[in-house]
Coordinates of all heavy atoms in Angstrom, one line a residue:
L746 N 125.4 125.6 119.1 CA 125.6 127.0 118.9 C 127.0 127.5 119.4 O 127.7 128.2 118.8 CB 124.5 127.8 119.4 CG 124.6 129.3 119.3 CD1 124.6 129.7 117.8 CD2 123.4 130.0 120.0
A747 N 127.3 126.9 120.6 CA 128.6 127.3 121.2 C 129.8 126.9 120.4 O 130.8 127.7 120.3 CB 128.7 126.6 122.6
F748 N 129.7 125.8 119.7 CA 130.8 125.4 118.8 C 131.0 126.4 117.6 O 132.1 126.8 117.2 CB 130.7 124.0 118.2 CG 130.9 123.0 119.3 CD1 129.9 122.3 120.0 CD2 132.2 122.6 119.6 CE1 130.2 121.4 120.9 CE2 132.5 121.6 120.5 CZ 131.5 121.0 121.2
A749 N 129.8 126.9 117.1 CA 129.8 127.9 116.0 C 130.4 129.2 116.5 O 131.2 129.8 115.8 CB 128.4 128.1 115.5
L750 N 130.1 129.6 117.7 CA 130.6 130.8 118.3 C 132.1 130.7 118.6 O 132.8 131.7 118.5 CB 129.8 131.2 119.5 CG 128.3 131.6 119.3 CD1 127.6 131.8 120.6 CD2 128.2 132.8 118.4
A751 N 132.5 129.5 119.0 CA 133.9 129.4 119.4 C 134.8 129.5 118.2 O 135.9 130.0 118.2 CB 134.1 128.0 120.1
D752 N 134.4 129.0 117.0 CA 135.2 129.0 115.8 C 134.3 129.1 114.6 O 134.0 128.1 113.9 CB 136.0 127.7 115.7 CG 137.0 127.8 114.6 OD1 137.0 128.7 113.8 OD2 137.8 126.8 114.4
P753 N 133.8 130.3 114.3 CA 132.8 130.5 113.2 C 133.3 130.0 111.9 O 132.5 129.4 111.1 CB 132.5 132.0 113.2 CG 132.9 132.5 114.6 CD 134.0 131.6 115.0
A754 N 134.5 130.3 111.6 CA 135.0 129.9 110.2 C 134.9 128.4 110.0 O 134.6 127.9 108.9 CB 136.4 130.4 110.1
A755 N 135.2 127.6 111.0 CA 135.2 126.1 110.9 C 133.9 125.5 111.2 O 133.6 124.5 110.7 CB 136.3 125.6 111.7
N756 N 133.2 126.1 112.2 CA 132.0 125.4 112.7 C 130.7 126.0 112.5 O 129.7 125.3 112.8 CB 132.2 125.3 114.3 CG 133.4 124.5 114.7 OD1 133.9 123.6 113.9 ND2 133.9 124.7 115.9
A757 N 130.6 127.1 111.9 CA 129.2 127.8 111.7 C 128.3 126.9 110.8 O 127.2 126.6 111.1 CB 129.4 129.2 111.1
L758 N 128.8 126.5 109.6 CA 128.0 125.7 108.7 C 127.6 124.3 109.3 O 126.5 123.9 109.3 CB 128.7 125.5 107.3 CG 127.8 124.8 106.3 CD1 126.5 125.4 106.1 CD2 128.6 124.6 105.0
P759 N 128.6 123.6 109.8 CA 128.2 122.3 110.5 C 127.2 122.4 111.6 O 126.3 121.6 111.8 CB 129.5 121.7 111.0 CG 130.6 122.4 110.3 CD 130.0 123.7 109.9
A760 N 127.4 123.5 112.4 CA 126.4 123.7 113.5 C 125.1 124.1 113.0 O 124.0 123.6 113.5 CB 127.0 124.9 114.4
A761 N 125.0 124.9 111.9 CA 123.7 125.2 111.3 C 123.0 124.0 110.7 O 121.8 123.8 110.9 CB 123.9 126.3 110.2
V762 N 123.8 123.1 110.1 CA 123.2 121.9 109.5 C 122.7 121.0 110.7 O 121.6 120.4 110.6 CB 124.3 121.1 108.7 CG1 123.8 119.7 108.3 CG2 124.6 121.9 107.4
L763 N 123.5 120.9 111.8 CA 123.1 120.1 112.9 C 121.8 120.6 113.5 O 120.9 119.9 113.8 CB 124.2 120.0 113.9 CG 123.9 119.1 115.2 CD1 123.7 117.7 114.8 CD2 125.1 119.2 116.1
L764 N 121.8 122.0 113.7 CA 120.6 122.6 114.3 C 119.3 122.4 113.4 O 118.2 122.1 113.9 CB 120.8 124.1 114.6 CG 121.8 124.4 115.7 CD1 122.1 125.9 115.7 CD2 121.2 124.0 117.1
A765 N 119.5 122.5 112.1 CA 118.4 122.3 111.2 C 117.9 120.8 111.3 O 116.7 120.6 111.2 CB 118.8 122.6 109.8
S766 N 118.8 119.9 111.4 CA 118.4 118.5 111.5 C 117.7 118.3 112.8 O 116.7 117.5 112.9 CB 119.6 117.6 111.4 OG 120.4 117.6 112.6
F767 N 118.0 118.9 113.9 CA 117.3 118.8 115.2 C 115.9 119.4 115.0 O 114.9 118.8 115.5 CB 118.0 119.6 116.3 CG 119.2 118.9 116.8 CD1 120.2 119.6 117.5 CD2 119.4 117.5 116.7 CE1 121.3 119.0 118.0 CE2 120.5 116.9 117.2 CZ 121.5 117.6 117.9
V768 N 115.8 120.5 114.3 CA 114.4 121.1 114.0 C 113.6 120.1 113.2 O 112.4 119.9 113.5 CB 114.5 122.4 113.3 CG1 113.2 122.9 112.8 CG2 115.2 123.5 114.2
G769 N 114.2 119.4 112.3 CA 113.5 118.4 111.4 C 113.0 117.2 112.2 O 111.9 116.8 112.1
T770 N 113.9 116.7 113.1 CA 113.4 115.6 113.9 C 112.3 116.0 114.9 O 111.3 115.2 115.1 CB 114.6 114.9 114.7 OG1 115.2 115.8 115.5 CG2 115.6 114.3 113.7
A771 N 112.5 117.1 115.5 CA 111.5 117.6 116.5 C 110.1 117.9 115.8 O 109.1 117.5 116.3 CB 112.0 118.8 117.2
S772 N 110.2 118.5 114.6 CA 109.0 118.9 113.9 C 108.2 117.6 113.4 O 107.0 117.6 113.5 CB 109.3 119.7 112.6 OG 109.9 120.9 113.0
G773 N 109.0 116.6 112.9 CA 108.3 115.4 112.5 C 107.7 114.7 113.7 O 106.6 114.2 113.6
F774 N 108.4 114.7 114.8 CA 107.9 114.0 116.1 C 106.6 114.7 116.5 O 105.6 114.1 116.8 CB 108.9 114.1 117.2 CG 108.4 113.6 118.5 CD1 108.5 112.3 118.8 CD2 108.0 114.5 119.4 CE1 108.0 111.8 120.1 CE2 107.5 114.1 120.7 CZ 107.6 112.7 121.0
L775 N 106.6 116.0 116.6 CA 105.5 116.8 117.1 C 104.3 116.8 116.1 O 103.1 116.7 116.5 CB 105.9 118.2 117.4 CG 106.8 118.3 118.6 CD1 107.3 119.8 118.8 CD2 106.2 117.8 119.9
A776 N 104.6 116.9 114.8 CA 103.5 116.8 113.8 C 102.8 115.5 113.9 O 101.6 115.4 113.8 CB 104.1 117.0 112.4
F777 N 103.6 114.4 114.0 CA 102.9 113.1 114.1 C 102.1 113.0 115.3 O 101.0 112.5 115.3 CB 104.0 112.0 114.1 CG 103.4 110.6 114.2 CD1 103.0 109.9 113.0 CD2 103.2 110.0 115.4 CE1 102.5 108.7 113.1 CE2 102.6 108.7 115.5 CZ 102.2 108.1 114.3
A778 N 102.6 113.5 116.5 CA 101.9 113.5 117.7 C 100.5 114.2 117.6 O 99.5 113.8 118.1 CB 102.7 114.0 118.9
V779 N 100.6 115.4 117.0 CA 99.3 116.2 116.8 C 98.3 115.4 116.0 O 97.1 115.3 116.3 CB 99.7 117.6 116.2 CG1 98.4 118.3 115.7 CG2 100.4 118.4 117.2
L780 N 98.8 114.9 114.8 CA 97.8 114.2 113.9 C 97.3 112.9 114.6 O 96.2 112.5 114.4 CB 98.5 113.9 112.6 CG 98.8 115.1 111.8 CD1 99.6 114.7 110.5 CD2 97.5 115.8 111.4
A781 N 98.2 112.2 115.3 CA 97.8 111.0 116.0 C 96.7 111.3 117.1 O 95.7 110.6 117.2 CB 99.0 110.3 116.7
E782 N 96.9 112.4 117.8 CA 95.9 112.9 118.8 C 94.6 113.2 118.1 O 93.5 112.8 118.6 CB 96.4 114.1 119.5 CG 95.5 114.6 120.6 CD 95.2 113.7 121.8 OE1 96.1 112.9 122.0 OE2 94.2 113.8 122.4
R783 N 94.6 113.9 117.0 CA 93.4 114.2 116.3 C 92.6 113.0 115.8 O 91.4 113.0 115.7 CB 93.7 115.1 115.1 CG 94.0 116.5 115.5 CD 94.2 117.4 114.3 NE 94.5 118.7 114.8 CZ 95.0 119.7 114.0 NH1 95.2 119.4 112.7 NH2 95.3 120.8 114.4
R784 N 93.4 111.9 115.5 CA 92.8 110.7 115.1 C 92.5 109.7 116.2 O 92.1 108.6 116.0 CB 93.7 110.0 114.0 CG 93.8 110.8 112.7 CD 94.8 110.2 111.8 NE 94.9 110.9 110.6 CZ 94.7 110.4 109.4 NH1 94.4 109.2 109.2 NH2 94.8 111.2 108.4
Q785 N 92.8 110.2 117.4 CA 92.5 109.4 118.7 C 93.3 108.1 118.7 O 92.8 107.1 119.1 CB 91.1 109.2 118.9 CG 90.3 110.5 119.1 CD 88.8 110.3 119.3 OE1 88.3 109.3 119.0 NE2 88.2 111.4 119.7
M786 N 94.5 108.2 118.1 CA 95.4 107.0 118.1 C 96.1 106.9 119.5 O 96.4 107.9 120.1 CB 96.4 107.1 117.0 CG 95.9 107.1 115.6 SD 97.1 107.5 114.4 CE 98.2 106.1 114.5
K787 N 96.3 105.7 120.0 CA 96.9 105.5 121.3 C 98.1 104.6 121.0 O 98.0 103.6 120.3 CB 96.0 104.8 122.3 CG 94.8 105.6 122.6 CD 95.1 106.9 123.3 CE 93.9 107.7 123.6 NZ 94.2 109.1 123.8
S788 N 99.2 104.9 121.6 CA 100.5 104.1 121.5 C 100.4 102.9 122.5 O 100.3 103.1 123.7 CB 101.7 104.9 121.7 OG 102.8 104.1 121.7
T789 N 100.5 101.7 121.9 CA 100.6 100.5 122.8 C 102.0 100.3 123.3 O 102.3 99.7 124.3 CB 100.1 99.3 122.1 OG1 100.8 99.1 120.9 CG2 98.6 99.4 121.8
A790 N 103.0 100.8 122.5 CA 104.4 100.6 122.8 C 104.9 101.5 124.0 O 105.7 101.1 124.8 CB 105.3 100.8 121.6
Y791 N 104.3 102.7 124.1 CA 104.6 103.7 125.1 C 103.4 104.2 125.7 O 103.1 105.4 125.6 CB 105.5 104.8 124.5 CG 106.7 104.3 123.8 CD1 106.8 104.2 122.4 CD2 107.9 104.0 124.5 CE1 107.9 103.7 121.8 CE2 109.0 103.6 123.9 CZ 109.0 103.5 122.5 OH 110.2 103.0 121.9
P792 N 102.6 103.4 126.5 CA 101.3 103.9 127.0 C 101.4 105.0 128.1 O 100.5 105.7 128.3 CB 100.7 102.6 127.6 CG 101.9 101.7 127.9 CD 102.9 102.0 126.8
A793 N 102.6 105.1 128.7 CA 102.7 106.1 129.7 C 103.1 107.5 129.2 O 103.1 108.5 129.9 CB 103.8 105.7 130.7
K794 N 103.4 107.6 127.9 CA 103.8 108.9 127.3 C 102.5 109.7 127.1 O 101.5 109.2 126.7 CB 104.5 108.7 126.0 CG 105.8 107.9 126.1 CD 106.9 108.8 126.5 CE 108.2 108.1 126.5 NZ 109.3 108.9 127.0
G795 N 102.6 111.0 127.3 CA 101.5 111.9 127.1 C 101.2 112.2 125.7 O 100.1 112.4 125.3
L796 N 102.2 112.1 124.8 CA 102.1 112.2 123.4 C 102.3 110.9 122.8 O 102.9 110.0 123.3 CB 103.2 113.2 122.8 CG 103.2 114.6 123.2 CD1 104.4 115.3 122.7 CD2 101.9 115.3 122.8
Y797 N 101.7 110.7 121.6 CA 102.0 109.5 120.8 C 103.4 109.5 120.5 O 103.9 110.3 119.7 CB 101.1 109.4 119.6 CG 101.1 108.0 118.9 CD1 100.0 107.2 119.0 CD2 102.3 107.6 118.3 CE1 100.0 106.0 118.4 CE2 102.3 106.3 117.7 CZ 101.2 105.5 117.7 OH 101.2 104.3 117.1
Y798 N 104.2 108.6 121.1 CA 105.6 108.6 120.9 C 106.1 107.8 119.7 O 105.8 106.6 119.6 CB 106.3 108.0 122.2 CG 107.8 108.1 122.2 CD1 108.4 109.3 122.5 CD2 108.6 107.0 121.9 CE1 109.8 109.4 122.5 CE2 109.9 107.1 121.9 CZ 110.5 108.3 122.2 OH 111.9 108.4 122.2
L799 N 106.7 108.5 118.8 CA 107.2 107.8 117.6 C 108.8 107.8 117.7 O 109.4 108.9 117.6 CB 106.8 108.6 116.4 CG 107.1 108.0 115.0 CD1 106.4 106.6 114.9 CD2 106.6 108.9 113.9
G800 N 109.4 106.7 117.9 CA 110.8 106.6 118.1 C 111.6 106.9 116.8 O 111.0 107.3 115.8
G801 N 112.9 106.8 116.9 CA 113.7 107.1 115.8 C 115.1 106.7 116.0 O 115.5 106.2 117.1
L802 N 116.0 106.8 115.1 CA 117.4 106.4 115.2 C 118.2 107.3 116.1 O 119.0 106.8 116.8 CB 118.0 106.4 113.8 CG 119.5 106.0 113.6 CD1 119.7 104.6 114.1 CD2 119.9 106.2 112.2
T803 N 117.9 108.5 116.1 CA 118.6 109.5 117.0 C 117.7 109.9 118.1 O 116.9 110.8 118.0 CB 119.1 110.7 116.2 OG1 117.9 111.2 115.5 CG2 120.1 110.3 115.2
E804 N 117.9 109.3 119.3 CA 117.1 109.6 120.5 C 118.1 110.2 121.5 O 119.2 110.6 121.2 CB 116.5 108.3 121.0 CG 115.4 107.7 120.0 CD 114.2 108.6 119.8 OE1 113.8 109.4 120.7 OE2 113.7 108.7 118.7
A805 N 117.7 110.1 122.8 CA 118.4 110.8 123.8 C 119.8 110.3 124.0 O 120.8 111.0 124.1 CB 117.6 110.7 125.1
T806 N 120.0 109.0 124.1 CA 121.3 108.4 124.4 C 122.3 108.7 123.3 O 123.4 109.1 123.6 CB 121.1 106.8 124.6 OG1 120.2 106.6 125.6 CG2 122.5 106.2 124.9
E807 N 121.8 108.5 122.1 CA 122.7 108.8 120.9 C 123.1 110.3 120.9 O 124.3 110.6 120.6 CB 122.1 108.4 119.6 CG 121.8 106.9 119.5 CD 120.5 106.5 120.2 OE1 119.7 107.3 120.7 OE2 120.3 105.3 120.3
T808 N 122.2 111.1 121.2 CA 122.5 112.6 121.2 C 123.5 112.9 122.3 O 124.4 113.7 122.0 CB 121.2 113.4 121.4 OG1 120.2 113.0 120.4 CG2 121.4 114.9 121.3
I809 N 123.3 112.4 123.5 CA 124.2 112.7 124.6 C 125.6 112.2 124.2 O 126.6 112.8 124.4 CB 123.7 112.1 125.9 CG1 122.4 112.9 126.3 CG2 124.7 112.2 127.0 CD1 121.6 112.3 127.4
A810 N 125.7 110.9 123.7 CA 127.0 110.4 123.3 C 127.7 111.2 122.3 O 128.9 111.4 122.4 CB 126.8 108.9 122.8
C811 N 126.9 111.7 121.3 CA 127.5 112.6 120.3 C 128.0 113.9 120.9 O 129.2 114.3 120.6 CB 126.5 112.8 119.2 SG 127.2 113.7 117.8
F812 N 127.3 114.5 121.7 CA 127.7 115.7 122.4 C 128.9 115.5 123.3 O 129.8 116.4 123.3 CB 126.6 116.4 123.1 CG 125.7 117.3 122.2 CD1 124.5 116.8 121.8 CD2 126.2 118.5 121.7 CE1 123.7 117.6 121.0 CE2 125.4 119.3 120.9 CZ 124.1 118.8 120.5
V813 N 129.0 114.4 124.0 CA 130.2 114.1 124.8 C 131.4 114.0 123.9 O 132.4 114.5 124.2 CB 129.9 112.8 125.6 CG1 131.2 112.3 126.2 CG2 128.9 113.0 126.7
A814 N 131.2 113.2 122.7 CA 132.3 113.1 121.8 C 132.7 114.5 121.2 O 134.0 114.7 121.1 CB 131.9 112.2 120.6
M815 N 131.8 115.3 121.0 CA 132.1 116.7 120.5 C 132.9 117.5 121.5 O 133.9 118.2 121.2 CB 130.9 117.5 120.1 CG 130.1 117.0 118.9 SD 128.6 117.9 118.8 CE 127.9 117.1 117.3
C816 N 132.6 117.3 122.8 CA 133.3 118.0 123.8 C 134.7 117.4 124.1 O 135.6 118.2 124.4 CB 132.5 118.0 125.1 SG 131.0 119.0 125.0
L817 N 134.8 116.1 123.9 CA 136.1 115.5 124.1 C 137.0 115.7 123.0 O 138.3 115.9 123.2 CB 135.9 114.0 124.3 CG 135.3 113.5 125.6 CD1 135.0 112.0 125.6 CD2 136.1 113.9 126.8
W818 N 136.5 115.8 121.8 CA 137.3 116.0 120.6 C 136.8 117.2 119.7 O 136.3 117.0 118.6 CB 137.4 114.8 119.7 CG 138.0 113.6 120.5 CD1 139.3 113.4 120.8 CD2 137.3 112.5 121.0 NE1 139.5 112.3 121.5 CE2 138.2 111.7 121.7 CE3 136.0 112.1 121.0 CZ2 137.9 110.5 122.3 CZ3 135.6 110.9 121.7 CH2 136.6 110.1 122.3
P819 N 136.8 118.4 120.3 CA 136.2 119.5 119.6 C 136.8 119.8 118.2 O 136.2 120.4 117.3 CB 136.4 120.7 120.5 CG 137.6 120.3 121.4 CD 137.5 118.8 121.5
Q820 N 138.1 119.4 118.0 CA 138.7 119.6 116.7 C 138.0 118.8 115.6 O 138.2 119.1 114.4 CB 140.2 119.3 116.7 CG 140.5 117.8 116.9 CD 140.5 117.3 118.4 OE1 140.0 118.0 119.3 NE2 141.2 116.2 118.6
H821 N 137.2 117.8 116.0 CA 136.4 117.0 115.0 C 135.0 117.4 115.0 O 134.1 116.5 114.5 CB 136.6 115.5 115.3 CG 138.1 115.1 115.2 ND1 138.8 115.2 114.1 CD2 138.9 114.6 116.2 CE1 140.0 114.7 114.3 NE2 140.1 114.4 115.6
F822 N 134.6 118.5 115.5 CA 133.2 118.9 115.6 C 132.5 118.8 114.3 O 131.4 118.3 114.2 CB 133.1 120.3 116.2 CG 131.6 120.8 116.1 CD1 130.7 120.4 116.9 CD2 131.3 121.7 115.0 CE1 129.4 120.9 116.8 CE2 130.0 122.1 114.9 CZ 129.0 121.7 115.8
A823 N 133.1 119.3 113.2 CA 132.4 119.3 111.9 C 132.0 117.9 111.5 O 130.9 117.6 111.0 CB 133.3 119.9 110.9
W824 N 132.9 116.9 111.7 CA 132.6 115.5 111.3 C 131.5 115.0 112.2 O 130.6 114.3 111.7 CB 133.9 114.6 111.5 CG 134.9 114.9 110.4 CD1 136.0 115.6 110.6 CD2 134.8 114.4 109.1 NE1 136.7 115.6 109.4 CE2 136.0 114.9 108.4 CE3 133.9 113.6 108.4 CZ2 136.2 114.6 107.1 CZ3 134.2 113.3 107.1 CH2 135.3 113.8 106.4
F825 N 131.5 115.2 113.5 CA 130.5 114.7 114.4 C 129.1 115.4 114.0 O 128.1 114.7 113.9 CB 130.8 115.0 115.8 CG 131.8 114.2 116.4 CD1 133.0 114.8 117.0 CD2 131.8 112.8 116.4 CE1 134.0 114.0 117.6 CE2 132.8 112.0 117.0 CZ 133.9 112.6 117.5
A826 N 129.2 116.7 113.7 CA 127.9 117.4 113.4 C 127.3 116.9 112.1 O 126.1 116.6 112.1 CB 128.2 118.9 113.3
Y827 N 128.1 116.8 111.1 CA 127.6 116.3 109.8 C 127.1 114.8 109.9 O 126.1 114.5 109.3 CB 128.6 116.4 108.7 CG 128.8 117.9 108.2 CD1 130.1 118.4 108.0 CD2 127.8 118.7 107.9 CE1 130.3 119.6 107.6 CE2 128.0 120.0 107.4 CZ 129.3 120.5 107.3 OH 129.5 121.7 106.8
G828 N 127.9 114.0 110.6 CA 127.5 112.6 110.8 C 126.2 112.5 111.5 O 125.3 111.7 111.1
F829 N 126.1 113.2 112.6 CA 124.8 113.1 113.4 C 123.7 113.7 112.7 O 122.5 113.2 112.8 CB 125.0 113.8 114.8 CG 124.0 113.3 115.8 CD1 124.1 112.1 116.4 CD2 122.9 114.1 116.1 CE1 123.2 111.6 117.3 CE2 122.0 113.6 117.0 CZ 122.1 112.4 117.6
A830 N 123.9 114.8 111.9 CA 122.9 115.4 111.1 C 122.4 114.4 110.1 O 121.2 114.3 109.8 CB 123.4 116.7 110.4
A831 N 123.3 113.6 109.5 CA 122.9 112.6 108.5 C 122.0 111.5 109.2 O 121.0 111.1 108.7 CB 124.1 111.9 107.9
L832 N 122.4 111.1 110.4 CA 121.6 110.2 111.2 C 120.2 110.8 111.5 O 119.2 110.1 111.5 CB 122.3 109.7 112.5 CG 123.6 108.9 112.3 CD1 124.2 108.6 113.6 CD2 123.3 107.6 111.5
C833 N 120.2 112.1 111.8 CA 118.9 112.7 112.1 C 118.1 112.7 110.8 O 116.8 112.6 110.8 CB 119.1 114.2 112.5 SG 119.7 114.3 114.2
G834 N 118.7 112.9 109.6 CA 118.0 112.8 108.4 C 117.3 111.5 108.2 O 116.2 111.4 107.7
L835 N 118.0 110.4 108.6 CA 117.4 109.1 108.5 C 116.2 109.0 109.5 O 115.2 108.3 109.1 CB 118.5 108.0 108.8 CG 119.6 107.8 107.8 CD1 120.6 106.8 108.3 CD2 119.0 107.4 106.5
T836 N 116.4 109.6 110.6 CA 115.2 109.6 111.6 C 114.0 110.3 111.0 O 112.9 109.9 111.1 CB 115.7 110.2 112.9 OG1 116.7 109.4 113.5 CG2 114.5 110.4 113.9
I837 N 114.3 111.4 110.3 CA 113.2 112.2 109.7 C 112.5 111.4 108.7 O 111.3 111.3 108.6 CB 113.7 113.5 109.1 CG1 114.2 114.5 110.2 CG2 112.7 114.2 108.2 CD1 115.1 115.6 109.7
V838 N 113.3 110.7 107.8 CA 112.7 109.9 106.8 C 111.9 108.7 107.4 O 110.8 108.4 106.9 CB 113.8 109.4 105.8 CG1 113.3 108.3 104.9 CG2 114.4 110.5 105.0
S839 N 112.5 108.1 108.4 CA 111.8 106.9 109.0 C 110.5 107.4 109.7 O 109.5 106.7 109.7 CB 112.7 106.2 110.0 OG 112.9 106.9 111.2
R840 N 110.5 108.6 110.3 CA 109.3 109.1 110.9 C 108.2 109.4 109.9 O 107.0 109.2 110.1 CB 109.6 110.3 111.8 CG 110.3 109.9 113.1 CD 110.5 111.0 114.0 NE 111.1 110.6 115.3 CZ 111.7 111.3 116.1 NH1 111.8 112.6 115.9 NH2 112.2 110.8 117.2
L841 N 108.7 110.0 108.8 CA 107.7 110.3 107.7 C 107.1 109.0 107.2 O 105.9 108.9 107.0 CB 108.4 111.1 106.6 CG 108.7 112.5 106.9 CD1 109.6 113.1 105.7 CD2 107.4 113.3 107.0
A842 N 107.9 108.0 107.0 CA 107.4 106.7 106.5 C 106.5 106.1 107.5 O 105.4 105.5 107.1 CB 108.6 105.8 106.1
A843 N 106.8 106.1 108.7 CA 106.0 105.5 109.8 C 104.7 106.2 109.9 O 103.6 105.6 110.0 CB 106.7 105.5 111.1
G844 N 104.7 107.5 109.8 CA 103.5 108.3 109.8 C 102.6 108.0 108.6 O 101.4 107.9 108.8
W845 N 103.2 108.0 107.5 CA 102.5 107.7 106.3 C 101.8 106.4 106.4 O 100.6 106.2 106.1 CB 103.5 107.7 105.1 CG 102.8 107.6 103.8 CD1 102.3 106.5 103.1 CD2 102.4 108.7 102.9 NE1 101.7 106.8 101.9 CE2 101.8 108.2 101.8 CE3 102.6 110.1 103.0 CZ2 101.3 109.0 100.8 CZ3 102.2 110.9 102.0 CH2 101.5 110.3 100.9
R846 N 102.5 105.3 106.9 CA 101.9 104.0 107.0 C 100.8 104.0 108.1 O 99.7 103.4 107.9 CB 102.9 103.0 107.4 CG 103.8 102.5 106.2 CD 104.7 101.3 106.6 NE 105.4 101.5 107.8 CZ 106.6 102.0 107.9 NH1 107.3 102.5 106.9 NH2 107.2 102.1 109.1
S847 N 101.1 104.7 109.2 CA 100.1 104.7 110.3 C 98.8 105.4 109.9 O 97.7 104.9 110.1 CB 100.7 105.4 111.5 OG 101.7 104.7 112.0
F848 N 98.9 106.5 109.2 CA 97.7 107.3 108.8 C 97.0 106.7 107.7 O 95.8 106.8 107.5 CB 98.1 108.8 108.6 CG 98.6 109.4 109.8 CD1 99.7 110.3 109.7 CD2 98.1 109.2 111.1 CE1 100.2 111.0 110.9 CE2 98.6 109.8 112.2 CZ 99.7 110.7 112.1
D849 N 97.8 106.1 106.8 CA 97.2 105.4 105.6 C 96.4 104.2 106.1 O 95.3 103.9 105.6 CB 98.2 105.0 104.6 CG 97.6 104.6 103.3 OD1 96.7 105.3 102.8 OD2 98.1 103.6 102.7
A850 N 96.9 103.5 107.1 CA 96.2 102.3 107.6 C 94.9 102.7 108.4 O 94.0 101.9 108.4 CB 97.1 101.5 108.4
G851 N 94.9 103.8 108.9 CA 93.8 104.2 109.8 C 92.7 105.0 109.1 O 91.8 105.5 109.7
R852 N 92.7 105.0 107.7 CA 91.7 105.7 107.0 C 90.3 105.2 107.2 O 89.8 104.2 107.3 CB 92.0 105.7 105.5 CG 93.1 106.6 105.2 CD 93.3 106.7 103.7 NE 94.3 107.6 103.4 CZ 94.4 108.3 102.4 NH1 93.5 108.3 101.5 NH2 95.4 109.1 102.2

């Protein structure tokens, strides 16, 4: 949001796309966790997590690295935002596919 406010003409659309992609990854993660809980599924890969943890391509380390790059090279914010949003899109698709397989197998 700060990048959009700093230069709305150049950064508002890329920031909006990036924020929407974050909403998509978070929604997919939380929706899967809710449905997994209702089906009493337990994660063997992450047993210490409170929610059924479904990984993805864009996790904490990648997000922090991208934000560091954005801060170091703010003139390239749009490229970083669109690129990371595309990676988030892949995460959304992979989570949907993993959820589909998990819930289909558990019928």
Side-chain angles (χ1 to χ4, degrees):
L746 181 60
F748 286 99
L750 294 174
D752 188 355
N756 294 339
L758 182 59
V762 170
L763 182 61
L764 289 169
S766 73
F767 285 156
V768 169
T770 58
S772 297
F774 174 85
L775 293 173
F777 182 87
V779 167
L780 292 173
E782 178 67 25
R783 287 186 182 165
R784 293 173 180 237
Q785 298 178 345
M786 295 171 65
K787 301 295 179 200
S788 174
T789 56
Y791 303 99
K794 298 280 185 182
L796 296 172
Y797 191 108
Y798 186 77
L799 186 61
L802 179 62
T803 52
E804 296 294 327
T806 303
E807 297 81 9
T808 304
I809 292 168
C811 186
F812 276 105
V813 167
M815 288 173 182
C816 290
L817 291 174
W818 300 286
Q820 69 275 20
H821 300 298
F822 169 77
W824 286 103
F825 288 124
Y827 287 133
F829 200 76
L832 294 176
C833 287
L835 292 174
T836 296
I837 293 166
V838 170
S839 71
R840 285 182 177 166
L841 286 171
W845 190 275
R846 285 191 308 273
S847 295
F848 298 140
D849 193 43
R852 284 185 182 214

